[in-house]
């Protein structure tokens, strides 16, 4: 399995072609070991599914072989003690390698449910062509584990997303007589400062201290001698599972009125937050297995970002059961990305035990 992980890291899968090459390698590796693999192609994005077992319940293991761009040397795996360095080592070729090995290791005769392996190639750019497509084709289940790096903690929630595009309107004037105009950039600054005190920004929930508010884009002004008439400002807001995005939108709209600003806005990109309760039967079992396999108390947490889990969750009645759970490592998307080799082995054992547990 560790050799498999090294081979996967060598694929420069930060492009569509590279990710497809890595995917084809996974397909042959599984087939050589007796798996019945289905290769799917959606607009040139490859993905594979493989299934084992029988029964009325389905567990899905989802992993992506695409990575964010990396330096050339990051595509040559390097082992130092328990660490394997390389682009995608943690995010998430380790998860993929462990899932593949676990899938082969599963004793079908002891399996009382179906385990489906999904390996995809476009998670880092949104997952629309592979994971979302697979779900739309009916490849769904009762419990989904996305093998993102979580340090063997159980990521059972993720924040929702709303994008707010604001336009502040001022009144142009000559730059030498700014008092005759209204400066749209200053209006936006005033708004941004006041935004930090809006009630929604102060809220917390069981797994989160606060929502994420990122001032992501700003665009205004093009010369020194004019008071700017327009300022465009965009926020990426990740809200808590307990928050209502429409209420956030309302607070942001009303703030413009309270400050007496000439402001227009549009809200888009709304993605719901994901919540799986800690009493969910699969979560309870997973915690028990983690205790057994690692001798440590399992940790539950909420992810700040979104992953392919959202597509699966949308297809489950009640929306519960799509989690992120994967090996330990650090600096994914950074230059010193690595995965803990021992955690990959623990992870494989946990996956197998969890699938077999009745
Ligand atoms: Zn990832």
């Amino acid at each position: 399995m560790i050799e498999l992980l090294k081979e996967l890291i060598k694929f420069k899968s930060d492009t569509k072609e590279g990710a497809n090459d890595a995917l084809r390698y996974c397909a042959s590796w599984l087939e050589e070991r007796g798996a019945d693999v289905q290769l799917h192609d959606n607009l040139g994005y490859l993905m594979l599914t493989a299934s084992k077992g029988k029964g009325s319940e389905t567990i899905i293991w989802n992993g992506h072989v695409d990575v964010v761009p990396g330096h050339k040397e990051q595509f040559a795996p390097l082992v130092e003690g328990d660490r394997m360095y390389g682009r995608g080592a943690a995010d998430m070729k380790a998860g993929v390698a462990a899932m593949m090995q676990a899938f082969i290791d599963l004793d079908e005769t002891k399996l009382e449910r179906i385990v489906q392996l999904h390996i995809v190639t476009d998670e880092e750019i949104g997952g629309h062509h592979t994971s979302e497509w697979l779900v739309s084709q009916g490849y769904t289940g009762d419990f989904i584990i996305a093998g993102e790096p979580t340090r063997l903690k159980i990521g059972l929630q993720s924040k929702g997303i709303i994008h707010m595009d604001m336009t502040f309107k001022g009144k142009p004037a000559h730059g030498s007589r700014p008092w005759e105009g209204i400066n749209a950039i200053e209006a936006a600054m005033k708004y941004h400062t006041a935004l930090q005190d809006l009630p929604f920004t102060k809220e917390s929930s069981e797994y989160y201290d606060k929502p994420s508010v990122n001032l992501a884009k700003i665009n205004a002004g093009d010369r020194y001698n004019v008071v700017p008439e327009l300022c465009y400002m965009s926020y990426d807001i990740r809200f808590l599972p307990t928050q209502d995005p429409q209420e956030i939108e309302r607070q942001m709209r009303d703030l413009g009125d309270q400050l007496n600003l000439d402001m227009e806005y549009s809200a888009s990109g709304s993605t719901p937050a994901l919540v799986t309760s800690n009493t969910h039967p699969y979560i309870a079992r997973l915690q028990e297995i983690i205790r057994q396999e690692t001798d440590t108390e399992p940790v539950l947490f909420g992810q700040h970002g979104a992953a392919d889990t959202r597509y699966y969750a949308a297809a489950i009645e009640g929306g519960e059961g799509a989690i992120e759970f994967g090996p330990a490592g650090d600096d994914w998307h950074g230059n010193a990305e690595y995965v803990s080799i021992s955690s990959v082995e623990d992870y494989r054992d946990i996956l197998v035990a969890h699938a077999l547990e009745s």
Side-chain angles (χ1 to χ4, degrees):
M1 173 177 64
I2 300 306
E3 284 312 305
L4 168 61
L5 172 55
K6 279 188 188 163
E7 290 307 312
L8 291 179
I9 292 173
K10 288 179 195 167
F11 284 95
K12 203 173 172 304
S13 56
D14 57 350
T15 62
K16 185 178 179 182
E17 294 71 30
N20 282 346
D21 288 343
L23 195 279
R24 283 190 205 93
Y25 179 87
C26 294
S28 330
W29 189 96
L30 288 162
E31 277 168 346
E32 280 163 19
R33 286 157 185 81
D36 183 15
V37 175
Q38 260 80 52
L39 207 58
H40 310 265
D41 180 331
N42 176 35
L43 303 171
Y45 291 89
L46 297 184
M47 68 217 100
L48 71 79
T49 55
S51 193
K52 231 178 185 178
K54 54 184 183 309
S56 56
E57 291 173 22
T58 302
I59 295 183
I60 290 172
W61 295 341
N62 172 292
H64 65 86
V65 289
D66 58 310
V67 294
V68 294
H71 298 291
K72 197 167 141 245
E73 61 274 16
Q74 287 186 287
F75 295 95
L78 178 76
V79 176
E80 254 182 47
D82 186 45
R83 293 180 177 188
M84 188 182 302
Y85 288 90
R87 170 57 79 233
D91 185 10
M92 59 161 280
K93 287 172 170 174
V96 169
M99 284 175 165
M100 288 167 67
Q101 188 65 57
F103 186 80
I104 296 299
D105 291 349
L106 270 181
D107 182 350
E108 198 153 19
T109 61
K110 293 185 186 152
L111 200 52
E112 290 171 11
R113 55 181 63 82
I114 296 165
V115 172
Q116 250 181 48
L117 178 62
H118 293 183
I119 303 181
V120 300
T121 52
D122 77 334
E123 196 277 339
E124 296 292 358
I125 54 167
H128 301 294
H129 298 295
T130 55
S131 286
E132 185 175 18
W133 184 84
L134 278 176
V135 172
S136 75
Q137 301 297 304
Y139 289 88
T140 56
D142 304 286
F143 190 68
I144 291 85
I145 298 176
E148 300 286 356
T150 65
R151 304 185 172 103
L152 297 179
K153 298 174 189 172
I154 302 172
L156 78 180
Q157 298 197 345
S158 71
K159 288 177 174 174
I161 308 173
I162 180 172
H163 292 154
M164 295 287 285
D165 297 298
M166 336 293 295
T167 304
F168 296 91
K169 294 180 185 169
K171 181 172 161 289
H174 194 279
S176 63
R177 306 171 70 83
W179 52 86
E180 289 179 0
I182 298 170
N183 188 315
I185 295 178
E186 288 179 4
M189 284 165 61
K190 205 165 146 189
Y191 182 86
H192 182 65
T193 304
L195 178 87
Q196 332 278 329
D197 288 323
L198 282 183
F200 88 84
T201 66
K202 310 281 187 211
E203 287 169 3
S204 60
S205 67
E206 188 179 2
Y207 294 108
Y208 299 106
D209 293 339
K210 53 176 189 267
S212 310
V213 178
N214 179 36
L215 172 53
K217 294 193 272 185
I218 187 157
N219 196 353
D222 61 355
R223 65 200 66 209
Y224 285 106
N225 61 359
V226 173
V227 173
E229 184 179 9
L230 292 169
C231 180
Y232 302 97
M233 207 157 83
S234 297
Y235 290 95
D236 178 35
I237 293 169
R238 308 297 177 103
F239 57 90
L240 310 177
T242 46
Q243 291 183 312
D244 172 9
Q246 282 178 344
E247 170 59 17
I248 293 174
E249 193 181 320
R250 189 194 63 74
Q251 289 183 20
M252 289 182 70
R253 181 195 63 215
D254 289 357
L255 180 62
D257 294 340
Q258 285 158 23
L259 297 172
N260 234 328
L261 302 175
D262 190 356
M263 179 192 93
E264 283 176 7
Y265 77 95
S266 73
S268 63
S270 187
T271 299
L274 295 191
V275 183
T276 296
S277 70
N278 51 21
T279 53
H280 190 285
Y282 276 94
I283 297 290
R285 276 219 318 266
L286 185 56
Q287 293 185 79
E288 195 44 49
I289 305 267
I290 292 171
R291 266 183 217 112
Q292 284 166 20
E293 298 285 337
T294 66
D295 249 347
T296 52
E297 195 45 33
V299 177
L300 307 174
F301 76 106
Q303 283 283 34
H304 295 288
D308 279 352
T309 40
R310 61 190 142 150
Y311 305 122
Y312 293 95
I316 304 175
E317 215 188 299
E320 291 204 26
I323 65 158
E324 291 177 47
F325 173 62
D330 211 345
D331 205 28
W332 41 93
H333 296 207
N335 286 336
E337 176 173 2
Y338 74 87
V339 71
S340 146
I341 295 170
S342 55
S343 80
V344 186
E345 277 154 0
D346 286 343
Y347 181 59
R348 186 239 351 240
D349 296 344
I350 293 167
L351 287 177
V352 171
H354 184 248
L356 290 173
E357 178 91 0
S358 51

